[in-house]
Amino acid sequence: MTFQQDQDIQKAVQILKSGGVVGLPTETVYGLAANAFDEKAIKKIFETKKRPFFDPLIVHISHLVQMKSVVKEFTDLPQFLAEKFWPGPLTMVLPKSLKISSTITSGLDSVGVRFPKHTMAQKIISSLGAPVAAPSANLFGKTSPTTAEHVRKEFGETVFVADGGSCTVGLESTVVGFDENYQIVKIYRPGAITQEQIQKVLENFNRKVYVTQEESKVAPGHLKHHYMPNIPLVILEGVDFDAHKICEALKILPSEGAKLDLHTDATHAARELYANLRKCAELNKGFIYVLKTQDQSGELWTAIWDRLSKAATLKLGEIK
Ligand code: TXA
Ligand code: MG
């Protein structure tokens, strides 16, 4: 930990203690954090992000002991997954405790909980002595931030950001929920922890559990449009790039496009995805385009294309 990082931690804690919101580095993306037990502070998150109240927030902990104050029950299956994947990019949706307000959960009886791996996030939460609620630190519907600079650009001077460097994962956490009897793990949002990885660890679990990928009906945050850059994003699959055709389809004046390149390695591609998307948006072009290719297979690519599909205004070619 550098001197500067220590200073940032102290300042962030001080702001959180006095009921403010701060930019918080995590290994996935930067969060916009507030004390999870401070109702007024939680409301500030929604105001700052211009986030509608129907989209629930994730609560972040820095020690398993804190689960007692966040969830009503922490049964063997989620405990097992916590042992395997926490700290890390996995969010579990569990029955909420009475201490967690319905503002955080948008009126749901469940709460999303995550134990981030980033040391600065852990230190901030520990020093505060309370979990923090934190959505990604971007305006509602926009591209998530993976550097402190991205957060500063989004909110200006109004929000202090603890600078923890570039996020190493670069995509938001995998969100999972469970059925009532904890026999099914449902992946609501794909992420760096893949279905395959979850399935694998559950082989050693003492009962049979099924893992499925399904859009959550109760997770209003999984809206169709999300992660959007400031100019339209176009996905091309199996068709040639034709700027003229794209502009016509987008109903914009003839203009050039900025190409979003994806690294061939999925982990690398995920890490730099949002930073590159932002860079493309700043190039003063009419639109951004990205090519979906056959070799981009594997579960991390599923997560990457999940985000890009939601960020896209137009899809041309073979895309479903
Ligand atoms: O990696 C991450 O998860 C980042 C960092 C900051 O931790 N946070 C993040 O938060 O991506 P946000 O608010 O952008 O996305 C949270 C997602 C939303 O899609 C929301 O619908 C879902 O988690 N979620 C939260 N609470 C839920 C609940 N009780 N039931 C179902 N889904 C929930
Ligand atoms: Mg978000």
Side-chain angles (χ1 to χ4, degrees):
M1 200 65 50
T2 64
F3 177 73
Q4 186 58 50
Q5 286 173 328
D6 269 329
Q7 297 279 92
D8 279 11
I9 291 172
Q10 280 178 35
K11 180 146 187 207
V13 173
Q14 188 199 332
I15 296 170
L16 290 170
K17 280 190 174 158
S18 57
V21 299
V22 295
L24 175 87
T26 86
E27 72 279 19
T28 57
V29 299
Y30 273 71
L32 187 67
N35 182 339
F37 300 140
D38 182 337
E39 184 66 7
K40 264 197 190 152
I42 297 297
K43 292 210 165 108
K44 281 187 199 160
I45 295 180
F46 287 91
E47 280 160 27
T48 310
K49 269 194 70 126
K50 301 197 170 58
R51 181 174 174 120
F53 282 101
F54 61 72
D55 198 3
L57 307 179
I58 294 175
V59 172
H60 299 67
I61 59 166
S62 61
H63 203 285
L64 283 181
V65 170
Q66 290 169 319
M67 285 302 274
K68 279 207 182 86
S69 59
V70 178
V71 300
K72 193 168 83 180
E73 59 181 32
F74 192 32
T75 56
D76 60 347
L77 176 60
Q79 270 196 45
F80 185 79
L81 292 177
E83 234 170 73
K84 299 289 173 192
F85 296 114
W86 281 359
L90 180 75
T91 296
M92 291 197 269
V93 174
L94 295 166
K96 79 170 192 74
S97 76
L98 286 174
K99 275 194 86 175
I100 295 294
S101 76
S102 59
T103 313
I104 292 182
T105 67
S106 305
L108 298 171
D109 291 333
S110 59
V111 60
V113 203
R114 179 163 110 75
F115 185 158
K117 195 168 194 154
H118 200 294
T119 325
M120 276 178 85
Q122 292 179 359
K123 289 205 169 167
I124 289 169
I125 299 164
S126 294
S127 309
L128 175 67
V132 300
S136 51
N138 48 274
L139 289 169
F140 180 69
K142 296 294 182 183
T143 309
S144 299
T146 52
T147 67
E149 191 54 32
H150 292 161
V151 186
R152 284 190 211 108
K153 273 198 187 149
E154 197 91 345
F155 302 114
E157 296 299 304
T158 49
V159 175
F160 172 74
V161 190
D163 193 338
S166 294
C167 302
T168 52
V169 174
L171 281 187
E172 304 78 1
S173 61
T174 305
V175 179
V176 301
F178 305 91
D179 67 316
E180 259 178 32
N181 306 315
Y182 294 93
Q183 287 182 339
I184 308 171
V185 182
K186 307 176 194 178
I187 301 179
Y188 295 149
R189 179 174 72 181
I193 306 279
T194 62
Q195 178 169 5
E196 203 180 347
Q197 277 173 285
I198 298 172
Q199 234 142 16
K200 186 111 211 277
V201 303
L202 290 176
E203 276 170 15
N204 305 322
F205 192 60
N206 59 8
R207 13 188 203 95
K208 190 88 202 118
V209 176
Y210 296 93
V211 186
T212 62
Q213 293 245 14
E214 62 177 67
E215 289 267 316
S216 166
K217 286 171 210 72
V218 292
H222 305 277
L223 300 170
K224 209 162 155 242
H225 289 295
H226 229 102
Y227 317 106
M228 283 192 142
N230 292 331
I231 53 172
L233 171 72
V234 183
I235 301 178
L236 303 174
E237 185 174 13
V239 290
D240 287 336
F241 172 71
D242 180 343
H244 185 75
K245 214 165 138 187
I246 291 174
C247 291
E248 260 183 4
L250 288 171
K251 298 191 177 71
I252 58 172
L253 291 174
S255 52
E256 284 180 56
K259 184 167 184 237
L260 172 68
D261 281 312
L262 300 176
H263 198 278
T264 49
D265 174 62
T267 307
H268 196 139
R271 189 180 304 136
E272 58 185 29
L273 179 72
Y274 291 141
N276 286 347
L277 200 52
R278 279 163 189 268
K279 273 187 207 147
C280 285
E282 283 162 10
L283 289 177
N284 261 329
K285 308 270 178 159
F287 60 91
I288 303 168
Y289 68 101
V290 59
L291 309 184
K292 190 167 183 197
T293 59
Q294 294 292 325
D295 53 341
Q296 294 160 338
S297 65
E299 278 197 61
L300 194 49
W301 281 113
T302 310
I304 293 171
W305 284 108
D306 166 74
R307 307 306 193 276
L308 285 172
S309 298
K310 287 182 176 133
T313 306
L314 178 67
K315 296 165 195 178
L316 293 176
E318 295 148 21
I319 298 143
K320 281 171 267 155

